[in-house]
Amino acid sequence: MNDSSARASILRRVRAASRHDPALAGERGKEMFEELAAPTGGPRSKLAGDLLDRFCRRSQAMSSTADRVSNLAEVPAANARYLSAAELPRSAVCWQEYASLDWAGAGLAVAPRAARDDDLVGITGDFCAIAETGTLMLLSGLTTAATTSSRPEMHIAIVLAARVVAGMEEGIALPRREHGDVPRAVNFVSRPSPTGDIELTIVLGAHGPYRVHLVVVTP
């Protein structure tokens, strides 16, 4: 094979691979697509103890706070207690799936919409919680605006005990297993937003919420 034909062969394979068509990409291309479709994980140590307890400990070690309730109906009162103790506004925005909770009965004014610049408290759920790192995994969507967690100064997350998984691998696999694919954006929240840009002094809230509070629902 001369140089020109070798070059042409390489370019054909690149064009075929860029069209994401494994049938046109040759044997190596088919292997690549098969590996991407069924990734394998490396060796991992098994987490000891209860996953929910591990998640809460890891979150609190990174400056988040947590409270536990036994059902969703108790969430508004738990939020009201926290906001009062922290001397924070008793108004907030929330994801639409929590619009039906009795916020008014707890003395809170909560609007089911995306956050704006003047909203100080945002209430979200999460897609799942990752015990190994104390991380919330949030998926973007029409009713789960990313700004609700990232724009206000205070982020309150409702965490369902049944949605706590061991590690990042399980978290990443869950959207594909339940929905067939991942959404346009996935956000991971592990702690209040920190920065050490100024004299290497850690400051919370420079690029996002300076408080993260978890209301863990454990039926």
Side-chain angles (χ1 to χ4, degrees):
M1 182 181 293
N2 58 37
D3 290 343
S4 61
S5 61
R7 179 175 179 275
S9 176
I10 292 172
L11 291 176
R12 280 196 301 273
R13 294 176 63 186
V14 169
R15 284 193 293 269
S18 68
R19 290 196 296 270
H20 302 286
D21 187 349
L24 300 177
E27 288 303 317
R28 179 57 192 141
K30 292 178 183 178
E31 294 174 5
M32 177 188 69
F33 282 101
E34 289 172 358
E35 290 173 4
L36 290 174
T40 57
R44 300 167 58 195
S45 57
K46 186 175 181 180
L47 295 184
D50 180 75
L51 291 182
L52 179 59
D53 287 341
R54 165 75 180 233
F55 167 76
C56 291
R57 289 197 307 272
R58 291 293 297 155
S59 297
Q60 291 171 306
M62 293 185 291
S63 302
S64 295
T65 56
D67 189 10
R68 296 198 189 194
V69 297
S70 60
N71 56 67
L72 278 173
E74 297 178 12
V75 168
N79 283 2
R81 288 194 303 271
Y82 176 76
L83 292 174
S84 294
E87 299 182 346
L88 291 167
R90 296 174 69 83
S91 61
V93 295
C94 75
W95 281 359
Q96 291 183 19
E97 65 187 278
Y98 298 114
S100 61
L101 294 179
D102 187 14
W103 302 108
L108 302 178
V110 178
R113 58 169 173 79
R116 299 191 291 249
D117 288 341
D118 57 345
D119 291 312
L120 297 181
V121 180
I123 301 171
T124 74
D126 67 330
F127 179 72
C128 69
I130 299 169
E132 185 175 14
T133 57
T135 300
L136 302 172
M137 181 175 175
L138 287 68
L139 307 187
S140 65
L142 294 176
T143 61
T144 55
T147 57
T148 309
S149 64
S150 61
R151 182 168 288 181
E153 294 181 0
M154 173 72 220
H155 175 203
I156 298 177
I158 301 168
V159 180
L160 304 182
R163 301 292 294 182
V164 178
V165 299
M168 193 68 70
E169 291 84 351
E170 287 81 8
I172 292 295
L174 204 55
R176 292 189 173 94
R177 187 164 71 244
E178 294 185 352
H179 304 296
D181 204 350
V182 294
R184 184 175 184 180
V186 178
N187 294 301
F188 295 96
V189 177
S190 294
R191 61 178 300 178
S193 174
T195 184
D197 293 344
I198 301 175
E199 297 182 351
L200 300 180
T201 300
I202 296 298
V203 176
L204 298 181
H207 308 297
Y210 69 92
R211 297 177 192 240
V212 174
H213 181 63
L214 311 173
V215 180
V216 182
V217 182
T218 57

